[in-house]
Amino acid sequence: HNPHQAITVLLLDVDYFEKFHQEHGFNQANAALYAIAQTLRHELRKEDDCLIKLNRDRFFILIPDVSQIVSITIAERLKSSIYQLNLAHHAGIAERLTVSSISHTLKLEELNTFNHWIHILGDELATYKQQGRNRCHQYRPQSIDHSIE
């Protein structure tokens, strides 16, 4: 791989998942995560993109060879597809399970370690989620709100 190749890292977090788990129980929570993972897999390019499940309610996605504009479109499409699953959640937005995400496009050579970007993006996403859920954000080092609803 070319070290100057563009790659987008996208951290996707299921909104209010702990409450969903409490509301519906272990089996339905696992079924919901499975449906989300299958939906994400379906929406991503099978030969190029990489989907990684991090913990109970978080996914990390690597999307090579796309511009920032395209990465925003992909994040919005993923968010919409999860919303369309219509997984009932009384504590959720519009009484359904939703996701929030943050993405950043960088050069492959800048992708030092996954953990580095998982922590940076996770911290930023937690801050953004205080302003609202079911949104896609773009990481900016100066941390200005660039949410797209």
Side-chain angles (χ1 to χ4, degrees):
H1 291 282
N2 177 356
H4 302 294
Q5 172 187 11
I7 188 161
T8 293
V9 291
L10 188 139
L11 182 66
L12 190 135
D13 194 272
V14 181
D15 297 324
Y16 302 113
F17 186 75
E18 187 59 39
K19 289 180 182 178
F20 182 88
H21 184 265
Q22 292 167 357
E23 184 180 309
H24 295 285
F26 178 80
N27 289 337
Q28 279 192 297
N30 268 0
L33 287 175
Y34 182 78
I36 289 169
Q38 290 299 100
T39 299
L40 294 173
R41 253 191 223 128
H42 176 75
E43 292 292 333
L44 296 170
R45 301 170 300 175
K46 290 165 184 42
E47 64 281 351
D48 294 326
D49 303 336
C50 180
L51 173 65
I52 302 163
K53 179 141 178 343
L54 293 180
N55 57 19
R56 182 162 46 178
D57 60 352
R58 216 169 238 197
F59 296 87
F60 193 68
I61 303 168
L62 299 172
I63 309 168
D65 294 325
V66 295
S67 68
Q68 276 188 317
I69 300 295
V70 172
S71 71
I72 292 167
T73 303
I74 291 169
E76 284 292 326
R77 188 179 75 230
L78 296 174
K79 177 181 68 100
S80 177
S81 294
I82 301 304
Y83 189 83
Q84 295 300 322
L85 289 173
N86 201 19
L87 298 166
H89 182 22
H90 300 296
I93 293 157
E95 296 199 346
R96 64 175 73 181
L97 204 57
T98 58
V99 295
S100 296
S101 69
I102 187 166
S103 62
H104 182 51
T105 302
L106 60 155
K107 293 178 185 166
L108 188 57
E109 65 190 4
E110 295 174 295
L111 187 61
N112 301 334
T113 63
F114 290 135
N115 285 341
H116 173 76
W117 287 105
I118 289 167
H119 290 299
I120 287 175
L121 296 176
D123 290 347
E124 286 291 312
L125 185 57
T127 300
Y128 284 133
K129 286 179 84 165
Q130 293 172 6
Q131 301 165 16
R133 312 284 173 123
N134 195 34
R135 296 180 180 182
C136 297
H137 304 275
Q138 201 173 13
Y139 173 72
R140 300 260 198 265
Q142 273 61 48
S143 195
I144 300 168
D145 187 3
H146 298 284
S147 66
I148 303 165
E149 293 189 49

